[in-house]
Structure formats: structure tokens, C-alpha cells
Coordinates of all heavy atoms in Angstrom, one line a residue:
M1 N 141.2 84.9 109.5 CA 140.4 83.8 109.9 C 139.9 83.1 108.6 O 139.3 83.7 107.7 CB 139.2 84.3 110.7 CG 138.7 83.3 111.7 SD 137.3 83.9 112.7 CE 138.0 83.9 114.3
S2 N 140.0 81.8 108.6 CA 139.5 81.0 107.4 C 138.0 80.9 107.4 O 137.3 81.0 108.5 CB 140.2 79.6 107.4 OG 139.5 78.8 108.4
M3 N 137.5 80.6 106.3 CA 136.0 80.5 106.1 C 135.5 79.3 106.9 O 134.4 79.4 107.6 CB 135.7 80.3 104.6 CG 134.2 80.5 104.4 SD 133.7 82.1 104.8 CE 132.6 82.5 103.5
D4 N 136.2 78.2 107.0 CA 135.8 77.1 107.8 C 135.7 77.5 109.3 O 134.8 77.1 110.0 CB 136.8 75.9 107.7 CG 136.7 75.2 106.3 OD1 135.7 75.4 105.7 OD2 137.7 74.6 105.9
R5 N 136.7 78.2 109.8 CA 136.7 78.7 111.2 C 135.5 79.6 111.5 O 134.9 79.5 112.5 CB 138.0 79.4 111.5 CG 138.2 79.9 112.9 CD 138.4 78.7 113.9 NE 138.4 79.3 115.2 CZ 137.7 78.9 116.2 NH1 136.9 77.8 116.1 NH2 137.8 79.4 117.4
I6 N 135.2 80.5 110.5 CA 134.1 81.4 110.7 C 132.8 80.6 110.7 O 131.9 80.8 111.6 CB 134.1 82.4 109.5 CG1 135.2 83.4 109.7 CG2 132.8 83.2 109.6 CD1 135.4 84.3 108.5
E7 N 132.6 79.6 109.9 CA 131.4 78.8 109.9 C 131.3 78.0 111.1 O 130.2 77.8 111.7 CB 131.4 77.9 108.6 CG 131.2 78.6 107.3 CD 131.3 77.7 106.1 OE1 131.7 76.5 106.3 OE2 131.0 78.2 105.0
E8 N 132.4 77.5 111.6 CA 132.4 76.7 112.9 C 132.0 77.6 114.0 O 131.2 77.2 114.9 CB 133.8 76.2 113.1 CG 134.0 75.3 114.3 CD 135.4 74.8 114.5 OE1 136.0 74.2 113.5 OE2 135.9 74.9 115.6
E9 N 132.6 78.8 114.1 CA 132.2 79.8 115.1 C 130.7 80.1 115.1 O 130.0 80.2 116.1 CB 133.1 81.0 115.0 CG 132.9 82.0 116.1 CD 133.4 81.5 117.5 OE1 134.3 80.6 117.5 OE2 133.0 82.1 118.5
L10 N 130.2 80.4 113.9 CA 128.8 80.7 113.7 C 127.9 79.6 114.2 O 126.9 79.8 114.8 CB 128.5 81.0 112.2 CG 127.1 81.4 111.9 CD1 126.6 82.6 112.6 CD2 127.0 81.6 110.4
A11 N 128.3 78.3 113.8 CA 127.5 77.2 114.3 C 127.5 77.1 115.8 O 126.4 76.9 116.4 CB 128.0 75.9 113.7
H12 N 128.6 77.4 116.4 CA 128.7 77.4 117.9 C 127.8 78.5 118.5 O 127.1 78.2 119.5 CB 130.2 77.6 118.3 CG 130.4 77.8 119.8 ND1 130.2 76.7 120.7 CD2 130.7 78.9 120.5 CE1 130.4 77.2 121.9 NE2 130.7 78.5 121.8
L13 N 127.9 79.7 117.9 CA 127.1 80.8 118.4 C 125.6 80.5 118.3 O 124.8 80.9 119.1 CB 127.5 82.1 117.7 CG 128.9 82.6 118.1 CD1 129.2 83.8 117.2 CD2 129.0 83.0 119.5
R14 N 125.2 79.9 117.2 CA 123.8 79.6 117.0 C 123.3 78.6 118.0 O 122.2 78.7 118.6 CB 123.6 79.0 115.6 CG 123.6 80.0 114.5 CD 123.3 79.4 113.1 NE 123.2 80.4 112.1 CZ 123.3 80.2 110.8 NH1 123.4 78.9 110.4 NH2 123.2 81.2 109.9
R15 N 124.1 77.6 118.3 CA 123.8 76.6 119.3 C 123.7 77.2 120.7 O 122.7 76.9 121.4 CB 124.8 75.4 119.3 CG 124.5 74.3 120.3 CD 123.2 73.7 120.0 NE 122.9 72.7 121.1 CZ 121.7 72.3 121.3 NH1 120.7 72.6 120.6 NH2 121.5 71.4 122.3
T16 N 124.6 78.1 121.0 CA 124.5 78.8 122.3 C 123.3 79.6 122.4 O 122.6 79.6 123.4 CB 125.8 79.6 122.4 OG1 127.0 78.8 122.4 CG2 125.8 80.4 123.8
T17 N 122.9 80.3 121.3 CA 121.7 81.1 121.3 C 120.5 80.3 121.5 O 119.6 80.6 122.3 CB 121.6 81.9 120.0 OG1 122.8 82.7 119.8 CG2 120.4 82.8 120.0
E18 N 120.4 79.1 120.9 CA 119.3 78.2 121.0 C 119.2 77.7 122.5 O 118.1 77.6 123.0 CB 119.4 77.0 120.1 CG 119.2 77.4 118.6 CD 119.5 76.3 117.6 OE1 119.8 75.2 118.1 OE2 119.5 76.5 116.4
D19 N 120.3 77.3 123.0 CA 120.4 76.8 124.4 C 119.9 77.9 125.4 O 119.1 77.6 126.3 CB 121.8 76.4 124.8 CG 122.2 75.1 124.1 OD1 121.4 74.4 123.5 OD2 123.5 74.8 124.1
L20 N 120.4 79.1 125.2 CA 120.0 80.2 126.1 C 118.5 80.5 125.9 O 117.8 80.9 126.9 CB 120.8 81.5 125.8 CG 122.3 81.4 126.2 CD1 123.0 82.6 125.8 CD2 122.4 81.2 127.7
S21 N 118.0 80.4 124.7 CA 116.6 80.7 124.5 C 115.7 79.7 125.2 O 114.7 80.0 125.8 CB 116.3 80.6 123.0 OG 114.9 80.9 122.7
E22 N 116.1 78.4 125.2 CA 115.4 77.4 125.9 C 115.4 77.7 127.5 O 114.4 77.5 128.1 CB 116.0 76.0 125.7 CG 115.8 75.5 124.3 CD 116.5 74.2 123.9 OE1 117.0 73.5 124.9 OE2 116.6 73.9 122.7
V23 N 116.6 78.1 127.9 CA 116.7 78.4 129.4 C 115.8 79.6 129.7 O 115.0 79.5 130.7 CB 118.2 78.8 129.7 CG1 118.2 79.4 131.1 CG2 119.1 77.6 129.6
V24 N 115.7 80.6 128.9 CA 114.9 81.8 129.2 C 113.4 81.3 129.2 O 112.6 81.7 130.0 CB 115.2 82.9 128.2 CG1 114.1 84.0 128.3 CG2 116.6 83.5 128.5
A25 N 113.0 80.5 128.2 CA 111.6 80.1 128.1 C 111.3 79.2 129.3 O 110.2 79.4 129.9 CB 111.4 79.2 126.8
R26 N 112.1 78.4 129.8 CA 111.9 77.6 131.0 C 111.7 78.4 132.2 O 110.9 78.3 133.0 CB 113.0 76.5 131.2 CG 112.7 75.5 132.3 CD 113.7 74.5 132.5 NE 115.0 75.1 133.0 CZ 116.1 75.1 132.3 NH1 116.2 74.5 131.1 NH2 117.2 75.6 132.7
Q27 N 112.6 79.4 132.3 CA 112.6 80.3 133.5 C 111.3 81.1 133.5 O 110.7 81.4 134.5 CB 113.8 81.2 133.5 CG 115.1 80.5 133.9 CD 116.3 81.4 133.8 OE1 116.3 82.4 133.2 NE2 117.3 81.0 134.5
A28 N 110.8 81.5 132.3 CA 109.6 82.3 132.2 C 108.4 81.4 132.7 O 107.5 81.9 133.4 CB 109.3 82.8 130.8
R29 N 108.4 80.1 132.3 CA 107.3 79.2 132.8 C 107.4 79.1 134.3 O 106.4 79.1 135.0 CB 107.5 77.9 132.1 CG 107.0 77.9 130.6 CD 106.9 76.5 130.0 NE 108.1 75.7 130.1 CZ 109.1 75.7 129.2 NH1 109.0 76.4 128.1 NH2 110.2 75.0 129.4
D30 N 108.6 78.9 134.8 CA 108.8 78.7 136.3 C 108.3 80.0 137.0 O 107.7 79.9 138.0 CB 110.3 78.5 136.6 CG 110.8 77.1 136.1 OD1 109.9 76.2 135.8 OD2 112.0 76.9 136.1
I31 N 108.7 81.1 136.5 CA 108.3 82.4 137.2 C 106.8 82.5 137.2 O 106.1 82.9 138.2 CB 108.9 83.6 136.5 CG1 110.4 83.6 136.8 CG2 108.3 84.9 136.9 CD1 111.2 84.6 136.0
E32 N 106.1 82.2 136.0 CA 104.7 82.2 135.9 C 104.0 81.3 137.0 O 103.1 81.7 137.7 CB 104.3 81.8 134.5 CG 102.9 82.3 134.1 CD 102.7 82.0 132.6 OE1 103.5 82.6 131.7 OE2 101.9 81.2 132.3
K33 N 104.6 80.1 137.1 CA 104.0 79.1 138.0 C 104.2 79.6 139.5 O 103.3 79.5 140.3 CB 104.7 77.8 137.8 CG 104.3 76.7 138.8 CD 105.1 75.4 138.6 CE 104.8 74.4 139.6 NZ 105.6 73.2 139.5
L34 N 105.4 80.1 139.8 CA 105.6 80.6 141.1 C 104.8 81.8 141.5 O 104.3 81.9 142.6 CB 107.1 80.9 141.3 CG 108.1 79.7 141.3 CD1 109.5 80.2 141.2 CD2 107.9 78.9 142.5
T35 N 104.6 82.7 140.5 CA 103.7 83.8 140.7 C 102.3 83.4 141.1 O 101.7 83.9 142.0 CB 103.7 84.7 139.5 OG1 105.1 85.2 139.2 CG2 102.8 86.0 139.7
R36 N 101.8 82.4 140.3 CA 100.4 81.9 140.6 C 100.4 81.3 142.1 O 99.4 81.5 142.8 CB 100.0 80.8 139.6 CG 99.6 81.4 138.3 CD 98.9 80.4 137.4 NE 99.7 79.1 137.2 CZ 100.5 78.9 136.2 NH1 100.7 79.8 135.3 NH2 101.2 77.7 136.2
Q37 N 101.4 80.6 142.4 CA 101.5 79.9 143.8 C 101.5 81.0 144.9 O 100.8 80.9 145.9 CB 102.7 79.0 143.9 CG 102.5 77.7 143.0 CD 103.8 76.9 143.1 OE1 104.9 77.3 143.4 NE2 103.6 75.6 142.8
V38 N 102.3 82.0 144.7 CA 102.4 83.1 145.7 C 101.1 83.8 145.8 O 100.6 84.1 146.9 CB 103.5 84.1 145.3 CG1 103.4 85.3 146.2 CG2 104.9 83.4 145.5
T39 N 100.4 84.1 144.7 CA 99.1 84.7 144.7 C 98.1 83.9 145.5 O 97.4 84.4 146.3 CB 98.6 84.9 143.3 OG1 99.5 85.8 142.6 CG2 97.2 85.6 143.2
L40 N 98.1 82.6 145.2 CA 97.2 81.7 146.0 C 97.5 81.7 147.5 O 96.6 81.7 148.3 CB 97.2 80.3 145.4 CG 96.6 80.1 144.1 CD1 96.9 78.6 143.6 CD2 95.1 80.3 144.2
L41 N 98.8 81.6 147.8 CA 99.2 81.6 149.2 C 98.8 82.9 149.9 O 98.3 82.9 151.1 CB 100.7 81.4 149.4 CG 101.1 80.0 149.0 CD1 102.7 79.9 149.0 CD2 100.6 79.0 150.0
L42 N 98.9 84.1 149.2 CA 98.5 85.3 149.8 C 97.0 85.4 150.0 O 96.6 85.9 151.0 CB 99.0 86.5 148.9 CG 100.6 86.7 148.9 CD1 100.9 87.8 147.9 CD2 101.0 87.2 150.3
Q43 N 96.3 84.9 149.0 CA 94.8 84.8 149.2 C 94.4 84.0 150.4 O 93.6 84.4 151.2 CB 94.2 84.3 147.9 CG 94.2 85.3 146.7 CD 93.7 84.6 145.4 OE1 93.5 83.4 145.4 NE2 93.5 85.4 144.4
R44 N 95.0 82.8 150.5 CA 94.7 82.0 151.7 C 95.1 82.6 153.0 O 94.3 82.6 153.9 CB 95.5 80.6 151.5 CG 95.0 79.7 150.5 CD 95.7 78.4 150.5 NE 95.4 77.6 149.3 CZ 96.0 76.5 149.0 NH1 97.1 76.1 149.7 NH2 95.7 75.9 147.9
A45 N 96.2 83.3 153.0 CA 96.6 84.0 154.3 C 95.6 85.1 154.6 O 95.2 85.3 155.7 CB 98.0 84.5 154.1
A46 N 95.2 85.8 153.6 CA 94.2 86.9 153.8 C 92.9 86.4 154.3 O 92.3 86.9 155.2 CB 94.0 87.7 152.5
E47 N 92.5 85.2 153.7 CA 91.2 84.6 154.1 C 91.3 84.1 155.6 O 90.4 84.3 156.4 CB 90.9 83.4 153.2 CG 90.4 83.8 151.8 CD 90.4 82.7 150.9 OE1 90.6 81.5 151.3 OE2 90.1 82.9 149.7
Q48 N 92.4 83.5 155.9 CA 92.6 83.1 157.3 C 92.6 84.2 158.3 O 92.0 84.1 159.4 CB 93.9 82.3 157.4 CG 93.8 80.9 156.9 CD 95.1 80.1 157.0 OE1 96.2 80.7 157.4 NE2 95.1 78.8 156.8
E49 N 93.3 85.3 157.9 CA 93.3 86.5 158.8 C 91.9 87.1 158.9 O 91.5 87.5 160.0 CB 94.3 87.5 158.2 CG 94.5 88.6 159.2 CD 95.7 89.5 158.8 OE1 96.7 89.0 158.3 OE2 95.5 90.7 158.9
A50 N 91.2 87.1 157.8 CA 89.8 87.7 157.9 C 88.9 86.8 158.7 O 88.0 87.3 159.4 CB 89.2 87.8 156.5
E51 N 89.1 85.5 158.7 CA 88.3 84.6 159.6 C 88.8 84.6 161.0 O 88.1 84.1 161.9 CB 88.5 83.2 159.0 CG 87.8 82.9 157.7 CD 88.2 81.6 157.1 OE1 88.9 80.8 157.8 OE2 87.7 81.3 156.0
G52 N 89.9 85.2 161.3 CA 90.5 85.3 162.6 C 91.1 84.0 163.1 O 91.4 83.8 164.2
S53 N 91.4 83.1 162.1 CA 91.9 81.8 162.5 C 93.4 81.9 162.7 O 94.0 80.9 163.2 CB 91.6 80.7 161.4 OG 92.2 81.1 160.2
G54 N 94.1 83.0 162.3 CA 95.5 83.2 162.6 C 96.3 82.1 161.9 O 96.0 81.7 160.8
G55 N 97.4 81.7 162.5 CA 98.2 80.7 161.9 C 99.3 81.2 161.0 O 100.2 80.5 160.6
V56 N 99.2 82.4 160.5 CA 100.1 83.0 159.6 C 100.8 84.2 160.2 O 100.0 85.1 160.6 CB 99.5 83.3 158.2 CG1 100.5 84.0 157.3 CG2 98.9 82.1 157.6
V57 N 102.1 84.2 160.3 CA 102.8 85.4 160.8 C 103.4 86.1 159.6 O 104.2 85.5 158.9 CB 103.9 85.0 161.8 CG1 104.6 86.2 162.3 CG2 103.2 84.3 163.0
L58 N 103.0 87.3 159.4 CA 103.6 88.1 158.2 C 104.4 89.2 158.8 O 104.1 89.9 159.7 CB 102.4 88.6 157.4 CG 101.5 87.6 156.8 CD1 100.4 88.3 156.0 CD2 102.3 86.7 155.8
G59 N 105.6 89.5 158.1 CA 106.4 90.6 158.4 C 106.9 90.6 159.9 O 107.4 89.6 160.4
D60 N 106.7 91.7 160.5 CA 107.2 91.9 161.9 C 106.2 91.5 163.0 O 106.4 91.8 164.1 CB 107.7 93.3 162.1 CG 108.9 93.7 161.3 OD1 109.6 92.8 160.9 OD2 109.0 94.9 161.0
E61 N 105.1 90.9 162.6 CA 104.1 90.5 163.6 C 104.6 89.5 164.5 O 105.4 88.6 164.1 CB 102.8 89.9 162.9 CG 102.1 90.9 162.0 CD 100.9 90.3 161.4 OE1 100.3 89.3 161.9 OE2 100.5 90.8 160.3
R62 N 104.2 89.6 165.8 CA 104.6 88.6 166.7 C 103.5 87.6 166.9 O 102.3 87.9 166.9 CB 104.9 89.2 168.1 CG 106.1 90.2 168.0 CD 106.4 90.7 169.4 NE 107.6 89.9 169.8 CZ 108.3 90.2 170.8 NH1 107.9 91.2 171.6 NH2 109.3 89.5 171.1
P63 N 103.8 86.3 167.0 CA 102.8 85.3 167.3 C 102.0 85.6 168.5 O 102.5 86.3 169.4 CB 103.5 84.0 167.5 CG 104.9 84.3 166.9 CD 105.1 85.7 167.0
P64 N 100.7 85.2 168.6 CA 99.9 85.5 169.8 C 100.4 85.1 171.1 O 100.1 85.8 172.1 CB 98.6 84.8 169.5 CG 98.7 84.2 168.2 CD 100.1 84.3 167.7
H65 N 101.3 84.1 171.2 CA 101.7 83.7 172.5 C 102.8 84.6 173.1 O 103.3 84.3 174.2 CB 102.2 82.2 172.5 CG 103.3 82.0 171.5 ND1 103.1 81.8 170.2 CD2 104.7 81.9 171.7 CE1 104.3 81.6 169.6 NE2 105.2 81.7 170.5
Y66 N 103.2 85.6 172.4 CA 104.3 86.5 173.0 C 103.6 87.6 173.8 O 102.7 88.3 173.6 CB 105.1 87.1 171.9 CG 106.2 86.2 171.5 CD1 106.1 85.4 170.4 CD2 107.5 86.3 172.1 CE1 107.1 84.5 170.0 CE2 108.5 85.4 171.7 CZ 108.3 84.6 170.6 OH 109.3 83.8 170.2

């Protein structure tokens, strides 16, 4: 393999690594955001259930009209 080809391949691999790093960073931010949203939704559902207001069906629970 010629030196030019090796340098070209190295440049390509560096760019690919940078692209993948950006993707991973974005996914980490998305996961963090979704985790916060799920936590808030679970808190709201627990509050509603504690208040007896219902409205949320979790798991295998049947709605009250069954």
C-alpha cells in the first residue's frame, strides 16, 4: 500500500470516528431528555393514582368501566 493511500485511509477513518462521536453524543443527550420525561410522567401518574383521579392504565390493569 502506498503512503498516499495510507494517509487517505487514515483521514477517512478519522472523519468516520468524528461522525460517530457526534452521533453518540447526540444520542446521550436524547436519552437523558427522554429519561427526565419518563420520570416526570411516572411521577404524575403516581400522583393521579394517589389522588384517586384515575385516568392512567398501567400494565395489566383494566379500566374501571370493565
